[in-house]
Amino acid sequence: MLIRLVVFALFVLLLAYGFSWLADRPGDLSLIWEGQIYQTKLIVAASAIIALVAAVMIAWWFVRLVWTSPHSVTRYFRARKRDRGYQALSTGLIAAGAGNALLARKMAARSRGLIRADQEPLINLLEAQAALIEGRHDEARAKFEAMANDPETRELGLRGLYLEARRLGANEAARQYAEKAADNAPYLPWAAQATLEYRSQAGRWDDAIRLLEQQKAARVVEKAEANRLHAVLLTARAGEKLESNPTGARDDALQALKLAADFIPAALIAAKALFREGGVRKAASILEQAWKSAPHPEIGQAYVRARSGDSTLDRLKRAERLEGQRPNNVESLLVVAQAALDAQEFAKARAKAEAAAHMQPREAAYLLLADIEEAETGDQGRVRHWLAQALKAPRDPAWVADGFVSDKWLPVSPVTGRLDAFEWKAPFGQIEGALEDGSAPASIETALKTLPPLRDVRPESPVNDHRIIELERAATIAEAVRPTPAPAPAPTSAKPKPVEPAVSDKAPAPSEAKPFFGGLPDDPGVRDPRVEPEPKTRLRLF
């Protein structure tokens, strides 16, 4: 509009300048026509010519207006009708969004009467939305199918069909609609995300990676998010290759680490693959880098047990090396405490576990203290004390996704199917360290103060005690299977002799030897009750 005003102003200025130029240069204009001489001023002749051109233009405009007036009138009423239809359509869409099914249905009927549906496909959308609000899902699906067959509304119809399939639980149909939409338009976020999740759930990692690359090229997702998802997919594929193809698993895991350097599952799989190939040094370097970025118990366990032939003291040294890289860290203290317990260095294990519990009183520290108490003293009272503290302490971090707690990392949530849903964090259940009864977990200082005194419960020689028990058990069995001798018949004419007290088989003479090896068998065989009576046995449990 501004340009037209500027052009009009320039035209007026040029016209005025032309008239002023002619006025400054007076002259006469002579015209001889049919023997007659017509003479006038030059400026008058120029003005007459301009007026004639203007008159012709005005006459042409009037003739054209009269000629096209029927069409103009028709177009005017048609535009007015279309405007009313679009106004009804807009009102209907607003009503559908607000949940007013009655008004939406009324406006949809009015819009269809004022505008043709083939000219405005949004009428089908309004009718489908009204049907969904009223609960007529079959009619809504029919409308969405009609829109899916129209090139202009194909994406809209596929999304409606996808949502309806998800509502009905038809996951296979929903997957097909999402994949069809993603193939036609990979720039659609909902279609690409749904297809990516479906392919990940089915383990089609190659197809999922290909789709993610298309999304990244179309700039549907941000570069950082795309790299993260790419690392997750590569790690999942590497996990499946670890047993059958360690080399391929190693390559995928290393590529995932390039995309996400702090991704713990990728570091673990890369290290395990290198361990299988004998690359212990490179695997240890990868684990050390992962430990520096984020200490993790699985990283520590894999690093400490990198070589299967190491002694417990060697593993303790490796654990202390990890602690040196991240000092004053709970995971470092727990790794050293566990390695010291395996090496039977109870003082160091206890000190590290207590330091970890002092820094962060949680379940793993108290359970480790219970294991140390069991291995060092065997005092069940003190062991139960630490187990009670572990029961009241906050839970250890775990892989959690949508409220589901897993003992290992998974690429897809088993609850919602969301990709990269698992996080390493404390599970829900305790809010701000409070227990169910409203009390707070006891600190390590309180636990040490309430620790029961040590009792001498261990025998001096457990090996000899075990042998004594075995000897008593063998003697009991041997004495149970020994047959009872029959009494001798008394003579009829001889003077009876005084009866001497009989010695019970159950109490043999002190001088009688009790064989342990080479004695009677444990199972003497089947006895004949008619010949040999069943002896009485004595059962000793301890």
Side-chain angles (χ1 to χ4, degrees):
M1 185 66 181
L2 182 61
I3 296 176
R4 296 178 62 181
L5 289 176
V6 171
V7 171
F8 179 75
L10 290 177
F11 176 75
V12 172
L13 289 176
L14 289 176
L15 189 61
Y17 176 76
F19 276 105
S20 64
W21 186 80
L22 289 177
D24 293 338
R25 293 168 178 78
D28 295 332
L29 180 64
S30 299
L31 177 60
I32 301 175
W33 188 41
E34 292 184 354
Q36 297 291 332
I37 298 176
Y38 300 94
Q39 188 174 1
T40 182
K41 298 291 184 180
L42 181 60
I43 190 171
V44 175
S47 300
I49 293 174
I50 293 174
L52 181 61
V53 171
V56 171
M57 292 178 64
I58 292 173
W60 173 254
W61 171 81
F62 182 76
V63 172
R64 184 180 177 184
L65 178 63
V66 174
W67 182 264
T68 59
S69 57
H71 177 69
S72 299
V73 171
T74 304
R75 186 174 57 183
Y76 168 76
F77 286 107
R78 186 185 303 164
R80 184 181 177 184
K81 182 180 179 181
R82 185 177 64 248
D83 293 341
R84 290 170 56 196
Y86 278 109
Q87 182 64 36
L89 180 61
S90 176
T91 305
L93 289 174
I94 295 174
N100 190 347
L102 181 61
L103 182 59
R105 173 67 61 182
K106 180 180 179 181
M107 291 297 105
R110 181 178 298 179
S111 300
R112 183 172 289 276
L114 297 174
I115 308 174
R116 292 193 304 176
D118 56 348
Q119 294 180 351
E120 186 48 65
L122 286 178
I123 298 177
N124 292 327
L125 174 62
L126 178 57
E127 292 177 347
Q129 293 294 329
L132 287 177
I133 296 173
E134 294 175 348
R136 293 181 282 105
H137 297 282
D138 294 337
E139 181 180 348
R141 283 195 297 272
K143 294 294 181 182
F144 285 130
E145 289 176 357
M147 285 188 285
N149 295 328
D150 189 353
E152 294 183 358
T153 58
R154 180 181 291 114
E155 301 169 5
L156 182 59
L158 289 174
R159 177 169 174 77
L161 293 173
Y162 167 77
L163 293 177
E164 280 297 295
R166 288 288 300 271
R167 184 187 62 82
L168 295 175
N171 295 326
E172 181 63 25
R175 182 189 64 81
Q176 293 180 3
Y177 290 134
E179 288 190 350
K180 185 176 181 180
D183 293 339
N184 294 330
Y187 50 83
L188 290 176
W190 69 268
Q193 182 67 25
T195 305
L196 193 64
E197 292 178 356
Y198 283 126
R199 292 179 179 178
S200 300
Q201 293 174 13
R204 298 165 52 190
W205 308 117
D206 296 335
D207 296 337
I209 291 173
R210 191 180 307 111
L211 178 61
L212 183 62
E213 291 176 351
Q214 294 178 357
Q215 287 183 292
K216 187 176 180 180
R219 297 182 179 180
V220 178
V221 294
E222 298 292 336
K223 184 178 180 181
E225 183 181 358
N227 291 338
R228 173 74 180 187
L229 294 178
H230 198 179
V232 171
L233 294 175
L234 287 172
T235 304
R237 189 171 68 178
E240 290 189 354
K241 294 180 180 179
L242 184 59
E243 298 294 335
S244 60
N245 186 11
T247 303
R250 178 203 61 193
D251 296 339
D252 287 343
L254 292 177
Q255 186 179 356
L257 286 176
K258 292 180 181 179
L259 297 172
D262 58 346
F263 195 38
I264 300 299
L268 284 171
I269 293 178
K272 291 178 182 178
L274 288 170
F275 287 153
R276 293 173 182 269
E277 296 178 347
V280 178
R281 181 171 299 179
K282 186 175 181 181
S285 176
I286 292 175
L287 293 177
E288 288 177 357
Q289 294 297 326
W291 184 266
K292 289 178 182 178
S293 61
H296 194 276
E298 295 181 13
I299 293 290
Q301 183 179 3
Y303 183 83
V304 171
R305 301 179 179 273
R307 289 191 292 263
S308 59
D310 287 350
S311 63
T312 55
L313 293 178
D314 293 334
R315 293 175 181 175
L316 178 57
K317 292 179 181 179
R318 295 177 68 85
E320 291 175 343
R321 187 183 306 170
L322 280 183
E323 184 186 13
Q325 295 179 0
R326 285 298 297 268
N328 299 326
N329 185 270
V330 177
E331 299 297 342
S332 300
L333 294 173
L334 291 177
V335 167
V336 176
Q338 183 63 51
L341 174 60
D342 296 338
Q344 301 295 314
E345 294 192 9
F346 301 115
K348 179 178 291 188
R350 188 182 298 274
K352 296 296 183 180
E354 290 179 358
H358 178 76
M359 185 176 299
Q360 188 177 350
R362 70 186 197 199
E363 186 180 8
Y366 291 116
L367 289 177
L368 189 55
L369 284 170
D371 292 339
I372 296 170
E373 201 70 52
E374 174 71 22
E376 183 180 9
T377 65
D379 191 337
Q380 295 301 317
R382 297 166 72 94
V383 172
R384 286 193 296 270
H385 172 76
W386 290 121
L387 292 177
Q389 299 300 322
L391 185 62
K392 296 185 292 184
R395 297 181 62 183
D396 297 318
W399 292 111
V400 182
D402 301 321
F404 177 81
V405 181
S406 175
D407 57 348
K408 63 179 181 179
W409 176 83
L410 298 174
V412 180
S413 170
V415 179
T416 60
R418 184 163 53 95
L419 184 64
D420 191 24
F422 277 90
E423 299 178 280
W424 181 256
K425 62 180 182 179
F428 298 104
Q430 290 181 346
I431 302 176
E432 297 181 358
L435 301 179
E436 293 181 358
D437 56 358
S439 61
S443 61
I444 183 62
E445 291 82 3
T446 306
L448 289 173
K449 290 180 181 179
T450 58
L451 183 64
L454 179 62
R455 295 183 299 174
D456 189 8
V457 297
R458 288 192 176 276
E460 296 180 358
S461 179
V463 178
N464 295 336
D465 182 66
H466 178 70
R467 291 190 60 188
I468 291 173
I469 295 174
E470 293 294 335
L471 286 171
E472 291 182 356
R473 187 175 301 170
T476 303
I477 295 174
E479 142 179 75
V481 301
R482 178 183 299 172
T484 304
T492 58
S493 61
K495 183 180 181 180
K497 295 182 180 181
V499 179
E500 296 180 358
V503 180
S504 175
D505 294 335
K506 297 180 181 180
S511 61
E512 184 179 357
K514 295 297 183 69
F516 179 65
F517 297 102
L520 293 177
D522 293 344
D523 188 4
V526 180
R527 300 182 181 87
D528 190 354
R530 295 173 298 178
V531 178
E532 182 179 356
E534 183 71 23
K536 296 182 179 181
T537 60
R538 182 180 62 186
L539 179 62
R540 295 184 62 180
L541 297 177
F542 300 98

